[in-house]
Amino acid sequence: MKVAIGSDHGGYTIKELLKRELSKEGIEFTDFGTFSTESCDYPDYAFKVAEAVARGEFERGILICGTGIGMSIAANKVKGVRAALCHDVFSAEATRLHNDSNVLTMGERVVGPGLALKIARTWLNTEFSGEERHRRRIDKITDYE
Ligand code: RB5
């Protein structure tokens, strides 16, 4: 699986931690920035990652900002992206099973590093259930787009 990752300054520390974790697990990723803790604008990174996922260059994307909210609002503007803001393991699993989310967003000011990594691991390792009712609901979102 190829994963696109990005953050603003508010999510930089967890992004760096996540990179080390992905490397350890042998998961291929590309870091779309930001590359320091200098203040920057989260939509710039949300669009880079979300568009790369929408183009099919990456199966999944992970975006981190201070709250995870700005990243999820911006990423969900990109056609074909289903970004899920998750701050607990139950939601991370459920959004893969039910929504086939292709982007995960988290807030570094909301969750600690241990929980963030567990959420990311759960989300990456859970497959879409493929059940008809969930497909039908996702199709309604795609049709609306
Ligand atoms: C940056 O201060 C902060 O607003 C940003 O990281 C994010 O939380 C926005 O939703």
Side-chain angles (χ1 to χ4, degrees):
M1 181 195 300
K2 281 168 72 182
V3 182
I5 63 173
S7 77
D8 70 354
H9 55 290
Y12 176 78
T13 305
I14 285 185
K15 173 171 69 66
E16 294 304 302
L17 209 61
L18 182 64
K19 278 161 63 177
R20 287 201 287 279
E21 190 72 9
L22 294 176
S23 298
K24 264 196 259 165
E25 293 187 15
I27 297 174
E28 202 182 324
F29 66 87
T30 298
D31 181 359
F32 284 81
T34 187
F35 299 108
S36 76
T37 52
E38 195 179 320
S39 182
C40 61
D41 300 335
Y42 63 82
D44 297 341
Y45 303 94
F47 295 143
K48 279 182 212 236
V49 166
E51 284 174 3
V53 171
R55 284 194 300 268
E57 292 164 13
F58 297 85
E59 283 173 74
R60 309 272 192 91
I62 299 179
L63 286 163
I64 304 146
C65 62
T67 60
I69 297 169
M71 286 297 196
S72 91
I73 292 171
N76 275 314
K77 299 289 181 198
V78 176
K79 194 174 172 190
V81 165
R82 292 180 298 282
L85 170 61
C86 297
H87 286 139
D88 64 272
V89 173
F90 174 82
S91 301
E93 185 182 44
T95 188
R96 285 291 310 133
L97 290 169
H98 294 196
N99 316 122
D100 196 16
S101 53
N102 48 12
V103 171
L104 168 69
T105 77
M106 293 185 285
E108 181 175 310
R109 297 173 190 160
V110 183
V111 286
L115 181 54
L117 292 183
K118 186 151 183 139
I119 289 167
R121 212 176 294 122
T122 302
W123 185 78
L124 287 169
N125 290 330
T126 305
E127 287 307 316
F128 176 48
S129 72
E131 289 171 24
E132 196 280 326
R133 69 183 191 286
H134 295 309
R135 281 192 197 282
R136 184 180 68 240
R137 292 162 190 165
I138 294 167
D139 286 346
K140 287 189 178 186
I141 297 169
T142 308
D143 289 348
Y144 183 82
E145 282 178 333

